[in-house]
Amino acid sequence: MWKSLHIDPAKCTGCLQCEMACSYEHTGVFNPSKSRIKVFNFETEGRKVPYTCTQCTEAWCLNACPVDAIRVDLTTGAKMVFDDTCVGCKVCTISCPFGTINYNQDTGKVQKCDLCEGNPACAEACPTGAITYVDADWTGLDKMRAWAAKANTPTTA
């Protein structure tokens, strides 16, 4: 069974260890700007929320790529960018509704979470358990909708 990242925003302290671990894993330097996971700061709410590629079942990025540079890793289920094929056209960045594929100025290619070959550095580095690597059937849009329904958040008209 494939696994995926599960993010629990309530546990995030905004320490940026996930960003540092990711950048080091992929580039060899501690630089959050080179990370494939980002921590979004909701200043008015006083909350930090990590976000990265959700490895969508119907990956729009994969389907949009005109040169088939994004393919599924059959071991992890991650949608992988193959640098030897990627031409840096950025069509996938436009197609991703979550904005989790980014153009890397240094390489002229795009980058996204690749689940670190099944051992995500961000989850390993997270000191609070805000990022965990769990069975894929435990995450996903249906689970998010169910959780949101339980939150009983009033809507504005």
Side-chain angles (χ1 to χ4, degrees):
M1 169 173 290
W2 287 341
K3 296 176 90 175
S4 62
L5 291 172
H6 176 257
I7 296 173
D8 183 346
K11 293 182 179 178
C12 181
T13 63
C15 70
L16 304 184
Q17 291 299 306
C18 57
E19 290 187 5
M20 299 295 265
C22 179
S23 70
Y24 188 77
E25 176 73 21
H26 290 96
T27 67
V29 297
F30 293 107
N31 184 342
S33 71
K34 297 184 182 296
S35 175
R36 298 169 187 206
I37 187 167
K38 303 293 181 194
V39 177
F40 189 79
N41 183 12
F42 291 93
E43 289 190 29
T44 18
E45 292 85 4
R47 176 178 284 185
K48 315 268 190 206
V49 179
Y51 69 97
T52 190
C53 177
T54 61
Q55 309 297 340
C56 301
T57 302
E58 294 179 31
W60 292 7
C61 61
L62 183 146
N63 293 318
C65 181
V67 295
D68 295 324
I70 302 174
R71 299 187 288 275
V72 178
D73 179 311
L74 297 178
T75 306
T76 64
K79 292 10 173 229
M80 306 275 293
V81 176
F82 287 80
D83 285 345
D84 60 336
T85 309
C86 179
V87 296
C89 69
K90 305 180 211 165
V91 171
C92 59
T93 65
I94 297 165
S95 70
C96 176
F98 305 107
T100 58
I101 303 177
N102 298 293
Y103 182 74
N104 183 332
Q105 198 72 33
D106 297 338
T107 64
K109 312 285 182 175
V110 296
Q111 65 180 22
K112 62 178 285 310
C113 176
D114 59 8
L115 297 176
C116 297
E117 297 180 10
N119 189 26
C122 59
E124 290 286 321
C126 182
T128 64
I131 304 168
T132 52
Y133 193 48
V134 299
D135 289 340
D137 65 352
W138 197 86
T139 63
L141 184 58
D142 290 335
K143 299 287 182 186
M144 289 167 56
R145 284 186 177 140
W147 184 82
K150 289 180 191 176
N152 198 17
T153 307
T155 58
T156 57

